[in-house]
Amino acid sequence: MPEAAPRRFCFVHAADLHLDTPFDGVHAAAPRIAAALREASLQAFDEVVELARRRSAAFLLVAGDVYDGAERGLRAQLRFRDGLARLAADGIESFVVHGNHDPVETGWSAVRAWPEGVKVFGTRSPEVVPVARDGEVIATVQGISYARRATTENLALRFCRPEGPGLHVGLLHCNVAGAGEGHDNYSPCSLDDLRRARLDYWALGHVHSGGILAEGSGPGDPWVVYPGNTQARSGRRSERGPKGAVVVHVEDGRVLRVEQVACDRVRFVELECPVEGLEGLDGLEQLLDRLADEALEQAEGRSLVLRARLAGRGPLHDALRRTGAVEELLEHLREGASDQEPFLWWDEIADRSLPPQDLGLLRGRGDFASDLLSLSDELKSDRASLASVADELVRSVPRYLARDLEELLADGEQLAGLLALGTLAALDELAGGEP
Ligand SMILES: [Mn+2]
């Protein structure tokens, strides 16, 4: 007798849509760029909907922070409803919980009647909703919404595995210990709290950087997944890089794999830009242009909001310090950048550069600074003792493991110079010199 064909389906899990997010952090964007940014969170949600339709997903999960603020603009609400209606028309059910940005009690709802097949979970206890395909239950979904913004109760403790067949899924906006640095500690819980419910998949929201916190080993040992937000909202670290949703592939009631799919329209990128060896601002501009082109090539057709961080030492530091130099460079880059789709927007240049250190001058001073430097010079010529010092460092300080001897030496030289200058300044001050 032939074996039964495996029962396969997939579902889409998204979170933190922050529809109609205002992009507060982006500086003075030109009107056309501001309009594109305003549209980005809505378009990213449309793309999540299209993803679910393309993949013939069994259902869509939205794990909180659907809207950016309790105000919930009408435009955002209608766009959300329309997307879920398109899914419903294709027979794809949707399950939604609210989070700290869009709690149930303080927000207003323009939508009185959701399309059939849309379940918005309430705030009391997790309701268990079965999902059937061809008359057979393939999954259950249970979820709970935030009543108020600052929800400090550990809501995960209210979930438990129901009786019955199918993949058992929990839908919750929460902060798993250690997962979300810089995120508010709402509905805090531990991985063990989540495991205790003996579900098969935890569809979480809240941590914008996303991450698979646990890969389940079988029934009752859950996958724990943050998909991250669907569209970045600022240049913060947790908001950089591709954003989107996950497609969860299920076979015979077990999660096979979790696939991340980008759905975003605009990406935030920070360019690290060393100024060593650059003589003029024209050279810096060329370098920034080149880095921007590279970033655009890697962005899979997405538009970019760029921040450049200038670092390191060099003669360029003085030119950058001139009044208006950085602002004018920024203006010039903006004028030259693409305003087509995908566009480039130069948001900020953060100048963290330092003046060059004139070691020759320091060496000639005949003081503490020059003594330290000649010690360093001696070590440089005495490879044997330098190697033993380096060996010692490699043994005792693991973060030096990846660095080589020359780099260590250069660092030491710079440090010695700085240390000496600092000490001299302090001594001057003690002696009653200029503060
Ligand atoms: Mn959020």
Side-chain angles (χ1 to χ4, degrees):
M1 207 174 85
E3 275 183 53
R7 263 167 241 144
R8 291 200 185 108
F9 69 92
C10 74
F11 64 89
V12 173
H13 166 199
D16 298 275
L17 313 177
H18 289 265
L19 295 179
D20 229 357
T21 194
F23 290 99
D24 277 340
V26 180
H27 302 101
R32 59 191 161 77
I33 303 293
L37 287 176
R38 245 182 92 86
E39 205 55 28
S41 61
L42 301 171
Q43 288 173 329
F45 170 64
D46 288 345
E47 182 52 35
V48 171
V49 168
E50 287 317 303
L51 172 67
R53 295 175 75 193
R54 272 200 310 275
R55 301 295 186 90
S56 303
F59 51 89
L60 167 71
L61 305 173
V62 181
D65 285 1
V66 176
Y67 308 110
D68 191 58
E71 282 309 303
R72 303 183 185 184
L74 182 64
R75 198 167 84 111
Q77 293 196 39
L78 296 181
R79 192 80 165 248
F80 187 55
R81 183 206 58 192
D82 291 349
L84 299 188
R86 286 200 298 284
L87 291 175
D90 279 7
I92 300 171
E93 293 172 61
S94 305
F95 298 91
V96 180
V97 295
H98 289 283
N100 54 296
H101 272 266
D102 58 349
V104 172
E105 280 177 12
T106 50
W108 71 284
S109 180
V111 179
R112 290 281 165 241
W114 291 99
E116 207 178 318
V118 174
K119 173 68 188 172
V120 180
F121 286 102
T123 60
R124 289 177 188 277
S125 53
E127 214 179 311
V128 180
V129 183
V131 185
R133 251 193 183 182
D134 306 322
E136 194 183 343
V137 172
I138 55 167
T140 70
V141 181
Q142 52 188 305
I144 190 165
S145 285
Y146 283 27
R148 281 169 300 278
R149 179 183 176 87
T151 296
T152 50
E153 182 194 336
N154 180 351
L155 294 172
L157 300 178
R158 298 207 205 170
F159 289 67
C160 65
R161 188 182 181 88
E163 291 294 323
L167 188 84
H168 297 297
V169 176
L171 181 60
L172 183 64
H173 199 76
C174 68
N175 196 37
V176 178
E181 208 178 304
H183 289 74
D184 290 320
N185 201 18
Y186 295 143
S187 188
C189 62
S190 67
L191 267 178
D192 281 343
D193 295 335
L194 296 175
R195 290 197 176 106
R196 216 163 285 144
R198 297 195 35 78
L199 299 175
D200 301 314
Y201 185 93
W202 275 101
L204 304 183
H206 189 50
V207 173
H208 287 195
S209 43
I212 295 171
L213 304 190
E215 295 192 9
S217 62
D221 179 37
W223 283 69
V224 179
V225 178
Y226 281 113
N229 48 345
T230 44
Q231 165 61 55
R233 307 163 65 215
S234 72
R236 285 172 59 173
R237 192 170 298 279
S238 58
E239 302 281 338
R240 291 182 211 147
K243 296 289 184 179
V246 298
V247 180
V248 182
H249 299 269
V250 182
E251 187 179 293
D252 289 334
R254 289 182 66 157
V255 172
L256 280 186
R257 67 191 173 92
V258 172
E259 176 197 1
Q260 283 158 311
V261 182
C263 299
D264 53 351
R265 299 305 283 249
V266 182
R267 287 188 188 161
F268 287 75
V269 173
E270 184 167 283
L271 302 172
E272 199 60 46
C273 183
V275 301
E276 281 97 353
L278 289 175
E279 294 293 332
L281 287 171
D282 52 342
L284 175 62
E285 191 209 355
Q286 275 173 16
L287 176 61
L288 289 174
D289 270 337
R290 187 168 58 73
L291 291 173
D293 285 345
E294 285 170 11
L296 202 57
E297 260 168 47
Q298 291 166 17
E300 305 165 290
R302 269 70 178 189
S303 295
L304 292 182
V305 175
L306 297 175
R307 285 177 183 184
R309 199 185 144 83
L310 312 181
R313 290 182 175 277
L316 198 63
H317 174 75
D318 284 342
L320 287 164
R321 289 286 295 274
R322 292 179 53 157
T323 314
V326 170
E327 290 74 17
E328 280 172 41
L329 178 61
L330 191 58
E331 271 312 307
H332 188 72
L333 285 166
R334 283 176 183 171
E335 280 161 19
S338 163
D339 59 355
Q340 310 296 313
E341 284 280 334
F343 65 78
L344 263 186
W345 176 254
W346 283 95
D347 182 39
E348 191 186 317
I349 299 174
D351 178 23
R352 304 275 182 272
S353 70
L354 294 167
Q357 217 171 57
D358 191 341
L359 293 179
L361 212 66
L362 280 177
R363 280 192 179 91
R365 284 166 53 151
D367 56 14
F368 177 60
S370 54
D371 284 353
L372 262 178
L373 280 172
S374 42
L375 202 67
S376 164
D377 289 341
E378 258 171 56
L379 266 178
K380 206 176 348 185
S381 54
D382 181 359
R383 307 299 286 192
S385 40
L386 182 60
S388 80
V389 171
D391 271 355
E392 184 60 34
L393 270 175
V394 165
R395 262 196 303 279
S396 55
V397 190
R399 71 194 162 89
Y400 277 104
L401 273 173
R403 321 189 64 184
D404 69 7
L405 220 57
E406 299 298 331
E407 236 184 305
L408 277 176
L409 193 64
D411 270 10
E413 221 168 45
Q414 297 281 343
L415 272 175
L418 284 173
L419 183 65
L421 284 172
T423 309
L424 284 173
L427 285 174
D428 278 352
E429 211 172 315
L430 276 177
E434 289 292 307

